[in-house]
């Protein structure tokens, strides 16, 4: 089991240089069947990573480039008009239906540049993501990976509605290797392109499959969470609310994310580390949940806070 | 009649099943069960991720009821809620007839209807649906509907929601506001939740026959006169405690629905009749019917009413006060000789005596100002068209069949004849939406105390209205210099909550300079693509720094077509330059000063421009 994840990680490493944190987060999302949101400037390999992870997972795959005119119907399949002849030559009836496709039939999807889509389309889309249901019908979707540019006027995007943003349990800020001053990695990247080995990015091969991911998910749910770690989680949240003054006006610490999904991510993190029991070091995963849920200055202090609590 | 005790078991188990779906949120669960037994509609309001939708969705599964779910969004239209549109084409001897048919949708079959994110739908789309809910009839047929359960985000500013009108909400007898455990600081409960992770509801515990039996049984419970007395007293007390703030204590809710809720409450606790204590169930009905500020006192008010209606029970017989039993509403004023009663009656008095805090009494007059300002904001956008979708501006592809009425006639004809698959319909743009608004607030040393509070209220009012219109807004505080506040790296943004937080800031230092804030705001608005661009400048004084005439900024505003509205607050003389700014940029001018009673009184200043221009407006 560990092996299959290792192979996926290798695949990511083969295709994308650096970004260890984002790669771990992607694996975590796959193991926990959670949605993940990557935000970063153009050209920081967000989309590439998302695509490699998605294809490597070996699942039914759907990629959609969001744009300003994105309509919900483009994501859920085709809207078709059906005409039916009424019995007894009474005439005919024309009605509209949806031929399911896109996100309704995929197991994993990449929603590129999600913040460019108009809020209305997103609202319904993200509810589908959250409930994994369309209307009353369950959909096979396991994980959605969304990417976005930071909110800036020149990118023509809109901030995601907080309720929508909360659908993505894992949230990460990605920055380019050059921008973040990772010179060694940037060098490796340049080398990769400079020596002519990479003429064309090869299509990543599907590595895992549904059965393997199901087994991972089951293993994740069996990971033991000791009471001490649960207490630490609550202490972390208490500190955010009480000491760092996170409240409704500036933060999004929902019960759903931090009392339900956080536990799952802790277990997933333990599994990725090859353990069957959550340890205090797994608390670090909480830092990938607070990125856009608490004020930036508080998020910067989160690693410190986690360290303090883990003592 | 079956004894209530035996048939209550399934509902006890239903309660346990709800506990497994979500730990905590006891009020929401009680509210849902009350609605189920009383056949009433329920409305749950709360922040995202606190479990409202999960509980709502679990109800029909546990109750074994057929459910339909409508997820609302901003484009929800009335027609899609009530059914699907079909186009029917009939050939006749000499003609062909094409007509719209509405096929009743899930609504026609649902016993429990789930309305998700109700507040995201535009109000006008909801009206027909809510009417159907209260009548429980659609196109002349009785619906099997027992209860509708609506959920809504608590935050009307952020996100894509429209505040619901109280009159619309009145259709929901049960109304509850719920909070998340974390922001509610209930960490012990949160810790317990970790040990009880939410689970999907497993099985249905009731069927239609059982439900109906329970509902009939509850509806047949006799009501004690004391309970009716307590109900009336409670409503009276709530009305009195609401003061001037808007409360919606309608006959529909309290004369028609409340007895049903009381009966359900009695039934749920296994009582053979409705007693005065069941009046406590009223607290599940009050979330949007009484002012939010009253919420912490509701329980005490209900206890007061209860005590007033049943004075004998609480006391030994010899201590029974002669006056308390029958004397009607003025309980708080009536002398109460018993010490025990006095202490319990205190909460109501304390509310009545509560200082009307934080200058709430000013709020109404600030509303006037905001309304007047808005009138001006919208003047530029008014259009003659009477289509609710707005004015046609070009074409787009048809998305729903019922849009055919708005289609290009030739395309529509081709579609019906089967010769075209894509149809162009008019792309309409809603008026009163979009646009940019920069708010400039004077925070110089003279803006202190009441002036600062008023300014904050005006800013808050502008933010709320901006949120409704989905305007991009920017905020500048100025004294001798201008401080721009950004959110997410942008000056103009839609993070309204952030702006509201800024509105309540109180700062008063430095001296006044008009030039800096106007220049900063205009520089930002220059880059905004919005058609409607406005600045509202709030100040109380004459500029002593920078160009007092702000000539360059006035010219720039004119050139950019930015309307600058000015609001002068305070007792002094309104500086002429404000009039000139407003006049030149076709903005409005207001003056707000304390009236004889000490309250803020606002009126539109005559800037000499309004009248002249109004003739040309449509």
């Amino acid at each position: 089991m560990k092996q299959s994840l290792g192979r996926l990680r290798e695949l990511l490493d083969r295709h994308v240089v650096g970004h260890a944190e984002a790669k771990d987060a992607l694996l975590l999302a796959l193991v926990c069947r959670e949605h993940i949101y990557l935000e970063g400037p153009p050209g920081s390999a967000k989309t590439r990573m998302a695509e490699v992870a998605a294809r490597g997972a070996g699942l039914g795959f759907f990629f959609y480039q969001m744009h300003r005119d994105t309509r919900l119907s483009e994501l859920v399949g085709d809207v078709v008009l059906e005409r039916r002849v009424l019995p007894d030559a009474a005439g005919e009836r024309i009605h509209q239906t949806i031929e399911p496709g896109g996100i309704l039939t995929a197991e994993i999807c990449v929603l590129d540049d999600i913040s460019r889509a108009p809020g209305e389309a997103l609202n319904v889309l993200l509810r589908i993501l959250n409930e994994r249901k369309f209307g009353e019908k369950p959909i096979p979707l396991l994980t959605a990976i969304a990417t976005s540019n930071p909110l800036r006027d020149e990118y023509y995007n809109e901030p995601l509605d907080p309720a929508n943003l909360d659908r993505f349990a894992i949230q990460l800020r990605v920055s380019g290797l050059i921008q973040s001053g990772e010179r060694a990695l940037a060098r490796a990247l340049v080398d990769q392109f400079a020596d002519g080995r990479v003429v064309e990015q090869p299509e990543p091969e599907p590595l895992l499959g549904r059965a393997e991911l199901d087994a991972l998910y089951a293993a994740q749910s069996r990971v033991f969470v000791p009471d001490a770690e649960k207490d630490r989680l609550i202490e972390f949240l208490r500190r955010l609310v009480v000491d760092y003054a996170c409240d409704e006006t500036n933060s999004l610490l929902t019960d759903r994310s931090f009392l339900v999904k956080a536990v799952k991510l802790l277990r997933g993190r333990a599994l990725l580390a090859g353990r069957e029991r959550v340890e205090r070091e797994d608390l670090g995963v909480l830092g990938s949940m607070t990125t856009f849920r608490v004020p930036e200055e508080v998020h910067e202090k989160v690693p410190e806070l986690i360290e303090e609590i883990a003592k | 009649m079956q004894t209530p005790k035996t048939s209550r078991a399934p509902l006890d188990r239903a309660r346990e099943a709800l506990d497994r779906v979500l730990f905590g949120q006891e009020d929401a669960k009680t509210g849902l069960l009350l609605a189920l037994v009383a056949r009433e509609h329920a409305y749950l309001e709360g922040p995202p991720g606190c479990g409202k939708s999960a509980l709502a969705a679990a109800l029909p599964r546990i109750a074994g009821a057929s459910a339909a779910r409508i997820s609302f969004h901003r484009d929800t239209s009335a027609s899609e809620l009530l059914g699907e549109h079909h186009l029917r084409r009939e050939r006749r001897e000499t003609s062909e007839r094409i007509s719209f048919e509405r096929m009743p949708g899930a609504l026609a079959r649902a016993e429990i209807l789930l309305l998700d994110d109700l507040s995201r739908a535009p109000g006008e789309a909801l009206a027909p649906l809510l009417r159907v809910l209260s009548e429980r009839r659609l196109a002349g047929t009785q619906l099997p509907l027992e209860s509708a359960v609506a959920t809504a985000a608590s935050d009307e500013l952020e996100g894509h929601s429209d505040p619901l009108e109280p009159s619309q909400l009145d259709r929901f007898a049960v109304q509850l506001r719920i909070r998340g455990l974390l922001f509610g600081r209930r960490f012990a409960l949160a810790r317990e939740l970790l040990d009880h992770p939410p689970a999907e509801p497993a099985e249905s515990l009731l069927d239609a026959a059982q439900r109906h039996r329970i509902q009939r049984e509850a509806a047949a419970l006799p009501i004690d006169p004391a309970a009716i007395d307590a109900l009336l007293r409670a409503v009276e007390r709530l009305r009195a405690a609401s003061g001037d703030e808007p409360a919606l204590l309608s006959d529909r809710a309290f004369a028609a629905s409340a007895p049903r809720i009381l009966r359900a409450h009695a039934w749920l606790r296994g009582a053979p009749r409705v007693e005065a204590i069941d009046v406590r169930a009223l607290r599940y009905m009050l979330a949007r019917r009484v002012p939010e500020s009253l919420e912490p006192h509701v329980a005490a008010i209900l206890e007061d009413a209860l005590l007033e209606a049943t004075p004998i029970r609480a006391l030994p017989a010899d201590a029974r006060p002669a006056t308390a039993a029958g004397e009607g509403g003025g309980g708080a004023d009536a002398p109460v000789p018993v010490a025990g009663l006095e202490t319990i009656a205190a909460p109501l008095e304390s509310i009545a005596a509560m200082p009307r805090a934080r200058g709430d009494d000013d709020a109404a007059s600030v509303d006037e100002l905001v309304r007047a300002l808005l009138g001006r904001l919208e003047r530029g956008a008014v259009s003659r068209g009477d289509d609710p979708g707005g004015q046609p501006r070009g074409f787009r592809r048809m998305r729903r069949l019922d849009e055919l009425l708005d289609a290009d006639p030739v395309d529509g004809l081709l579609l019906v004849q089967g010769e075209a698959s894509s149809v162009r319909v008019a792309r309409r743009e809603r008026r009163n939406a979009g646009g940019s608004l920069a708010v400039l607030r004077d925070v110089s040393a003279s803006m202190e105390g009441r002036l600062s509070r008023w300014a904050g209220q005006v800013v808050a009012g502008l933010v709320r209205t901006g949120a409704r219109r989905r305007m991009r807004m920017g905020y500048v505080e100025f004294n001798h210099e201008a401080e721009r506040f950004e959110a997410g790296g942008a000056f103009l943004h839609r993070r309204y909550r952030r702006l509201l937080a800024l509105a309540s800031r109180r700062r008063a230092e430095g001296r006044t300079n008009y030039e800096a804030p106007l220049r900063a705001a205009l520089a930002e608005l220059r880059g905004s693509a919005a058609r409607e661009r406005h600045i509202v400048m709030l100040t109380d004084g004459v500029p002593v720094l920078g160009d007092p005439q702000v000539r360059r900024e006035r010219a720039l505003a004119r050139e950019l077509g930015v309307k600058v509205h000015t609001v002068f607050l305070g007792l002094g003389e309104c500086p002429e330059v404000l009039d000139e700014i407003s006049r030149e940029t076709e903005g409005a001018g207001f003056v707000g000063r304390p009236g004889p009673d000490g309250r803020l009184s606002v009126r539109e200043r005559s800037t000499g421009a309004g009248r002249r221009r109004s003739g040309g407006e449509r």
Side-chain angles (χ1 to χ4, degrees):
Chain A
M1 195 172 306
K2 179 114 200 284
Q3 238 180 5
S4 51
L5 282 171
R7 279 187 291 139
L8 188 53
R9 181 62 203 257
E10 270 168 36
L11 180 78
L12 277 165
D13 285 339
R14 249 199 332 276
H15 284 271
V16 180
V17 175
H19 296 298
E21 196 192 359
K23 289 174 185 167
D24 287 343
L26 283 165
L27 293 187
L28 188 65
L30 285 174
V31 168
C32 296
R33 296 191 181 165
E34 285 297 346
H35 306 316
I36 173 169
Y37 172 75
L38 301 174
E39 184 179 295
S44 51
K46 303 180 297 291
T47 309
R48 185 71 189 147
M49 275 191 287
E51 210 181 333
V52 172
R55 290 203 186 271
L59 297 173
F61 174 69
F62 173 63
F63 179 96
Y64 194 82
Q65 171 73 48
M66 310 284 253
H67 52 89
R68 283 203 110 175
D69 287 330
T70 299
R71 303 263 170 236
L72 185 66
S73 59
E74 297 165 34
L75 297 164
V76 296
D78 294 324
V79 175
V80 293
L81 287 176
E82 211 171 71
R83 61 204 277 143
R84 199 173 290 160
V85 178
L86 296 172
D88 306 330
E92 58 187 15
R93 178 182 289 149
I94 301 170
H95 74 124
Q96 181 173 317
T97 117
I98 290 178
E99 204 120 289
I103 206 163
L104 298 189
T105 50
E107 290 168 301
I108 187 162
C109 67
V110 175
L111 303 169
D112 210 25
D113 276 337
I114 191 160
S115 56
R116 290 192 189 206
E120 286 86 74
L122 275 183
N123 178 22
V124 182
L125 164 72
L126 294 171
R127 196 185 342 235
I128 297 175
L129 294 187
N130 184 46
E131 294 171 1
R132 296 178 165 88
K133 268 186 198 166
F134 184 66
E136 287 305 301
K137 283 196 205 91
I139 58 169
L141 184 73
L142 301 181
T143 297
I145 306 172
T147 73
S148 165
N149 292 135
L151 176 72
R152 295 265 285 280
D153 275 352
E154 61 266 35
Y155 297 143
Y156 298 103
N157 51 12
E158 266 191 60
L160 287 184
D161 176 340
N164 285 341
L165 198 53
D166 196 45
R167 315 288 193 208
F168 297 92
I170 308 174
Q171 309 178 343
L172 229 52
R173 191 171 268 139
V174 184
S175 57
L177 300 176
I178 294 172
Q179 272 161 319
S180 50
E182 308 222 34
R183 298 182 81 179
L185 288 171
R187 176 68 200 258
L189 184 62
V190 173
D191 284 347
Q192 201 183 65
F193 283 90
D195 72 1
R197 265 186 297 153
V198 189
V199 178
E200 201 171 79
Q201 295 268 32
E203 191 85 328
E205 64 272 34
L207 277 178
L208 311 181
R210 184 64 196 245
E212 259 176 304
L213 279 161
D214 283 349
L216 282 167
Y217 186 72
Q220 169 274 126
S221 59
R222 284 194 303 266
V223 170
F224 176 66
V225 189
D227 279 348
E229 302 315 320
K230 289 184 190 168
D231 292 341
R232 287 201 174 93
L233 170 60
I234 296 293
E235 175 61 11
F236 171 72
L237 297 167
R238 195 190 66 77
R239 294 285 297 273
L240 284 181
V241 173
V242 176
D243 297 352
Y244 289 84
C246 292
D247 63 20
E248 286 97 337
T249 63
N250 60 15
S251 307
L252 192 73
L253 300 177
T254 61
D255 294 358
R256 169 177 54 208
S257 296
F258 286 89
L259 298 177
V260 181
K261 293 186 176 172
V263 181
K264 205 184 196 188
L265 294 183
L266 287 174
R267 287 199 299 251
R269 170 70 173 64
L271 185 73
L272 285 176
R275 277 184 273 107
E276 284 171 8
R277 179 188 168 94
V278 171
E279 303 279 353
R280 59 184 73 177
E281 66 194 75
D282 297 327
L283 291 172
V285 85
L286 297 173
S288 63
M289 298 187 71
T290 53
T291 317
F292 301 104
R293 287 188 172 99
V294 300
E296 210 171 319
E297 60 277 12
V298 176
H299 176 65
E300 279 165 16
K301 301 229 176 75
V302 160
E304 236 172 85
L305 178 61
I306 290 174
E307 206 169 305
E308 212 174 295
I309 288 167
K311 262 185 214 154
Chain B
M1 193 202 289
Q2 225 175 332
T3 62
K5 192 139 183 85
T6 45
S7 58
R8 229 177 77 231
L11 274 196
D12 287 345
R13 280 190 285 135
R15 176 89 195 200
E16 286 161 25
L18 285 175
D19 285 340
R20 279 192 296 279
V21 169
L22 182 70
F23 182 83
Q25 303 296 6
E26 301 301 324
D27 281 357
K29 290 174 198 164
T30 309
L32 288 176
L33 292 179
L34 283 175
L36 180 73
V37 173
R39 291 181 75 105
E40 284 286 355
H41 305 316
Y43 169 84
L44 301 179
E45 183 180 290
C50 67
K52 0 176 241 311
S53 301
L55 283 176
L59 185 70
R61 290 184 66 173
I62 289 168
S66 64
R69 181 170 201 169
I70 303 177
S71 294
F72 289 87
H73 50 92
R74 225 176 143 79
D75 279 342
T76 306
S77 73
S79 64
E80 71 184 295
L81 297 178
L82 300 180
E84 205 184 327
H85 270 99
H86 290 190
L87 206 56
R88 189 187 167 115
R89 183 174 177 211
E90 285 166 290
R91 279 174 229 282
R92 299 192 168 174
E93 294 264 317
T94 55
S95 66
E96 192 177 62
R97 192 185 142 97
I98 295 165
S99 56
F100 262 125
E101 274 184 334
R102 185 147 72 196
M103 308 291 280
L107 183 61
R109 295 180 300 275
E111 291 166 325
I112 292 182
L113 185 64
L114 302 174
L115 307 171
D116 246 353
D117 277 340
L118 190 66
S119 55
R120 292 192 186 226
E124 66 267 29
L126 282 180
L129 175 74
L130 295 177
R131 191 174 178 80
V132 171
L133 289 189
S134 79
E135 290 174 356
R136 293 160 200 261
R137 295 179 74 84
L138 179 61
T141 36
Q142 187 73 34
L143 296 173
L145 183 68
E146 293 170 24
S147 304
V149 182
T151 63
S154 53
D155 198 333
E156 290 165 350
L157 294 174
E158 211 76 20
H160 303 266
S161 56
D162 253 352
L164 284 167
E165 312 247 330
S167 60
Q168 296 178 327
L169 279 175
D170 200 39
R171 322 256 179 195
F172 297 89
V174 174
Q175 313 189 335
L176 283 169
R177 222 179 243 127
I178 57 184
R179 278 196 101 181
L181 298 178
L182 292 174
F183 285 143
R185 301 194 172 201
R186 309 185 67 175
F187 299 111
L189 272 180
R191 174 65 183 84
E192 275 189 75
L193 192 148
L194 293 184
D195 291 328
H196 302 91
E200 289 275 301
E203 40 164 4
S204 56
L205 302 164
L206 296 164
D207 59 31
Q210 279 171 307
R211 272 195 331 270
H212 294 158
R213 200 170 61 230
I214 290 170
Q215 288 160 351
R216 273 199 308 273
E217 217 176 87
L221 289 183
I223 303 185
D224 280 352
I228 294 182
D229 188 31
L231 169 64
L232 293 175
R233 284 167 192 268
V235 175
E236 182 49 39
R237 277 173 177 260
L238 288 168
R239 199 179 59 77
S242 301
D244 305 331
E245 291 179 74
L248 191 82
L249 303 169
S250 71
D251 293 354
R252 166 168 49 201
F254 290 92
S257 298
R260 283 199 278 268
I261 297 292
L262 262 52
R263 282 186 161 117
H265 188 256
W267 193 89
L268 281 172
R269 66 185 179 89
R273 53 196 308 113
V274 178
E275 294 167 285
I277 58 165
D278 291 308
V279 83
R280 287 181 182 143
L282 286 186
R283 81 189 173 90
Y284 301 103
M285 298 182 62
L286 296 179
R288 294 286 293 262
R289 292 198 167 95
V290 299
E292 200 172 344
S293 57
L294 203 59
E295 205 165 83
H297 310 288
V298 159
I301 292 173
L302 295 179
E303 288 310 308
D304 284 351
L306 177 53
L307 196 72
E308 215 177 49
T310 55
I312 318 133
R313 284 178 153 236
L315 303 164
D318 57 346
R320 176 177 167 190
T323 51
E327 295 253 327
D333 301 332
V336 186
V338 182
L341 275 186
E342 258 170 338
T343 45
I344 300 175
L348 181 66
E349 284 181 272
S350 59
I351 292 160
M354 231 168 23
R356 314 262 316 149
R358 288 169 285 108
D360 285 353
D361 49 350
D362 298 335
S365 42
V366 171
D367 276 355
E368 268 167 46
L369 184 149
V370 169
R371 249 201 309 279
L373 261 178
L374 271 177
R376 300 300 299 239
L377 289 189
E378 285 175 4
R379 256 185 223 182
V382 168
S383 55
R384 255 181 209 287
D386 51 5
D387 189 297
Q391 290 285 83
R393 299 192 183 277
F395 285 101
R396 61 170 170 80
R397 262 175 53 200
M398 185 173 85
R399 298 198 292 269
R400 288 191 313 265
L401 197 57
D402 59 323
E403 291 173 345
L404 195 60
L405 290 176
D406 214 9
D408 178 276
V410 176
D411 280 3
L413 188 66
L414 287 174
L415 173 84
V416 171
Q417 291 179 343
E419 288 162 24
S421 57
S422 84
V423 176
R424 293 176 308 157
V425 299
R427 178 168 60 81
R428 292 184 181 275
E429 257 174 39
R430 262 185 219 163
R431 59 186 181 174
N432 304 350
S436 303
L437 170 64
V439 180
L440 317 182
R441 175 184 182 178
D442 190 343
V443 292
S444 63
S446 53
M447 288 290 279
E448 56 179 10
R450 203 157 51 169
L451 282 179
S452 166
R453 204 174 64 218
W454 285 337
Q457 286 169 355
V458 174
V459 174
L462 289 170
V463 172
R464 285 179 204 286
T465 330
R468 279 197 87 152
R469 297 163 45 104
R470 306 286 307 149
M471 296 181 99
R472 283 182 196 274
M473 297 187 67
Y475 181 71
V476 175
E477 286 185 357
F478 68 94
N479 38 34
H480 47 280
E481 57 195 5
E483 187 181 354
R484 299 153 69 258
F485 290 82
E486 296 192 347
F491 173 72
L492 292 166
H493 57 84
R494 295 196 174 116
R495 299 195 175 169
Y496 305 112
R497 274 197 300 194
R498 179 85 166 253
L499 291 169
L500 265 196
L502 290 171
S504 58
R505 273 164 54 111
R506 301 280 179 265
R507 191 155 77 93
E509 62 200 8
R511 296 191 290 163
T512 308
N513 173 357
Y514 288 176
E515 193 185 325
L518 280 172
R519 189 160 0 109
L522 286 167
E524 295 289 350
L525 286 172
R526 180 199 278 275
S528 157
R531 232 171 332 151
E532 283 293 318
R533 290 177 291 184
H534 298 268
I535 290 176
V536 175
M537 184 158 117
L538 290 160
T539 180
D540 74 324
V542 189
V544 290
L545 294 165
D547 174 9
Q549 293 300 317
V550 286
R551 291 214 168 76
R552 247 178 316 160
E553 286 68 31
R554 275 150 61 182
L556 182 56
R558 264 204 319 273
E559 183 192 322
L560 297 175
V562 174
K563 296 189 175 69
V564 183
H565 312 275
T566 54
V567 183
F568 180 74
L569 292 170
L571 281 169
E573 188 76 5
C574 174
E576 236 169 72
V577 60
L578 288 183
D579 286 343
E580 279 164 25
I581 294 173
S582 291
R583 189 169 54 234
E584 276 188 20
T585 62
E586 305 193 4
F590 298 86
V591 58
R593 42 180 61 134
D597 55 352
R599 291 163 149 222
L600 177 66
S601 134
V602 178
R603 58 190 171 77
E604 194 162 344
R605 293 196 316 267
S606 145
T607 59
R611 194 128 310 143
R612 199 170 55 230
R613 241 186 10 264
S614 63
E617 260 159 16
R618 310 197 277 148

